[in-house]
Amino acid sequence: MPARAAGYAGAARLSYGPIVPDNGFVLEMTREEFEELVAEALDRIPPELTRLMDNVAVFVEDEPPADDPELLGLYEGTPLTERGEWYAGVLPDRITIYRGPTLRMCESREDVVAETEITVVHEIAHHFGIDDARLHALGYG
């Protein structure tokens, strides 16, 4: 993960938008631009995996729940590995990618692109039944 900016030295301009001193030095990116990055990350998932994804929807939200303000993404549902004959007629699993914490932790558009891709892969892996320990070992912490 990229490190947070330690300070502000003048009118720096990042590769995508300026650092705005009155917003806590957060990289600016519209929700639409962030949603496009999530869509691009989904497009990079290999087709052989996306064909296996079943009954899952991906959403972008501005902020995570108040009790976990640094959460980048969340998978809610029943992983494919735990579904049985009982699994029918249920609402789709939900993957949510959170824009605010991602922009607060990244220093450039390139950082946002990389972190968004990692987060999307991480949450899709949960859909496939891969737990956090294995994801951390694979570099998708």
Side-chain angles (χ1 to χ4, degrees):
M1 287 187 218
R4 288 183 192 263
Y8 178 71
R13 179 163 175 84
L14 299 175
S15 63
Y16 195 85
I19 293 177
V20 182
D22 62 349
N23 76 355
F25 309 111
V26 176
L27 180 66
E28 291 192 341
M29 180 179 289
T30 67
R31 182 173 177 137
E32 292 77 22
E33 292 166 324
F34 189 79
E35 287 173 350
E36 183 62 30
L37 292 181
V38 171
E40 290 170 5
L42 288 166
D43 288 344
R44 286 190 287 277
I45 302 295
E48 52 273 10
L49 290 179
T50 57
R51 282 193 294 273
L52 297 173
M53 293 174 64
D54 182 45
N55 200 30
V56 62
V58 178
F59 299 90
V60 170
E61 297 287 340
D62 287 330
E63 294 296 332
D67 63 338
D68 199 354
E70 295 183 11
L71 187 66
L72 302 179
L74 180 65
Y75 170 75
E76 300 170 285
T78 304
L80 295 174
T81 55
E82 296 178 17
R83 296 180 184 179
E85 292 179 20
W86 60 269
Y87 189 85
V90 299
L91 292 173
D93 291 2
R94 181 180 177 103
I95 291 174
T96 308
I97 308 299
Y98 297 106
R99 178 175 154 266
T102 304
L103 295 180
R104 287 190 292 275
M105 72 176 289
C106 294
E107 295 181 3
S108 69
R109 184 177 194 284
E110 292 75 21
D111 290 345
V112 175
V113 170
E115 192 59 51
T116 301
E117 187 165 331
I118 288 169
T119 302
V120 167
V121 169
H122 182 109
E123 302 311 328
I124 288 173
H126 286 319
H127 176 68
F128 283 100
I130 301 171
D131 65 16
D132 280 329
R134 180 70 177 135
L135 285 168
H136 285 274
L138 294 171
Y140 291 97

